[in-house]
Amino acid sequence: MKRILSVAFCLLAIVAGLLYHTLHLGGTPFSPATLPQSYILTVLPLDSRPPCTSFVRQLGNLAGFAVELPPDELLDKYENAALVTELRKWLVTKITGSNGILISTDMLSYGGLLHNRIAPLTQEQKLQTLQFLGKLRDENPGKDFYAYSIIPRLLVSDQILPDRWYQWHIMQWTINMDKKMQGLPFDEKRYKQMQDEIPAKLKEKYLNLYAQNAAFNQELIDLAVDKKFTGLLIGQDDTMMFGLPNGNRWAAEDTLHKLNVPPSYGVTQGADEIGAIDTAALFLMKHNFRPKIYLTYSTPQTKDLFLHFVPDSLENIALDKIKLLNGQVVSSVEDADFILFIHCGDNPGASYRDIAQNVRQLMTQKPVALVDLSEDYDYRECLFPSLLVNNTPVPQLLSYAGWNSASNSIGTALAQGAIVVLQSRLLSPAALPSLYARNLTFNCARFLDDWAYQQKIRYKIKDFQELNGIDTQHTAPYTSLVENYIARELAVYKNILLYTSLRRFPFYQFGKTAYYLKDLDYHVKLPWERVFGISLTVQPTFVKKTI
């Protein structure tokens, strides 16, 4: 009996100690300093969504870049294109005081990514964009000059009719057309059926969309080589293994392969993450740093998975993104600067407990950039909850990403990881707590957005339309009500995160001084008044204490 009471008392003491440490963190307030900035980067984003704007700004700030973005009133807002003429004037003015510039040619030509899939690029648009870029480069020969262009996605626009009515038809038609052109088995009956059902003008428009994009990309490559752009990327928006967009990618790859271009030139599957990738690549190039990356997966099968609207395996996507950073894949953890760990929940027999334990063990050896994907867009396939359960020190993750497509997440996690690893070597010891505090701030937004919102809350909002008539694709005039609902839902997950992990483990420790996240406030906006994506601003408070 005495032994049972002793054990119970010990357990009670342990629980009481944990609760006291978690609920009453103590310590003295710590306010992270602004990281030293010695470089100004002017960015014309792909569109106004956070991955193309605030992500680039925050990751640029981690690299010591002051990132200049256009005023909101000049940028696009969902179906409303940006003010292209005004943006060109803004660029000419801003580049004068900048060290470098990063330009989306789709913003420069169409006024945003969404509009590059609505209609083919006209000859006038093409000439205006290329002439503007050439003149801007001529007038700024000593500045870093990056540009990127996007191949339109496989699905036609869902903003206009009759295009939207024939999305599925055109997708099936072009997939089978591509197989036929490559001499592969294809569904001849469906191919002919779709060819007959799709209006002739729509087929002509669709074919011309890619023809004009291919022609533009070829001339853009020629211009970049002639004018010596610092970097150029051709990205490919959502697609599949087969379809007309792949031909544009192969053509660009073939052209670049024949040219003597630097590693900062390339072709990649993806779009939204290219701004972050280019920002990281520029920072690494400035310091002649080639990150050594150990690439590993949650299960042996994960590397060979093909996810929705991605035409390649997870392994090939990761290798492609590492190449864009001029990084190196190493065969051992000991040789690595950091670890890229890719999880994709698709195997019902996999032990998430063992996978989480593997991540926790790897974190004791090297910084871990974690990509947390779901094959079926199902929160139960994500690894993150298992990390919380097994006491993984989540605040110490180098980066975390699990949003949208595989290429978006892998590219963002790699860019962030490479930036922070390099900065940790460049900054003085006194600046490291501020670096890791700001890195955790970015990660906290990813925990709440990529995991809590994208994987869980967003799917609950789908019931809004059925229950009270709110259109989730056009939330006005009820946008503020939807934003408030999201904020309330996020509060549940914020508290789970705080009290299971974020407050329990230091995000940085030097000697006997440990730094903790104490609390987390946030602000939610629907930038395009649709629930597909949120703009999440987090405001953390930190403390430091002697342990």
Side-chain angles (χ1 to χ4, degrees), residues 38-39 41 59-60 62-65 144 146 277-289 325 415-416 418-424 426-427:
S38 58
Y39 190 97
L41 178 66
L59 294 179
L62 285 174
F65 290 178
D144 296 313
Y146 282 76
I277 284 278
D278 269 341
T279 301
L282 174 59
F283 178 54
L284 303 182
M285 182 193 69
K286 286 294 178 186
H287 296 279
N288 196 28
F289 180 64
L325 293 175
Q416 181 186 354
I419 287 171
V420 175
V421 164
L422 176 54
Q423 271 288 50
S424 69
L426 298 175
L427 295 174

Side-chain angles (χ1 to χ4, degrees), residues 24-42:
H24 183 73
L25 191 56
T28 58
F30 168 70
S31 297
T34 301
L35 298 177
Q37 294 182 345
S38 58
Y39 190 97
I40 301 175
L41 178 66
T42 294

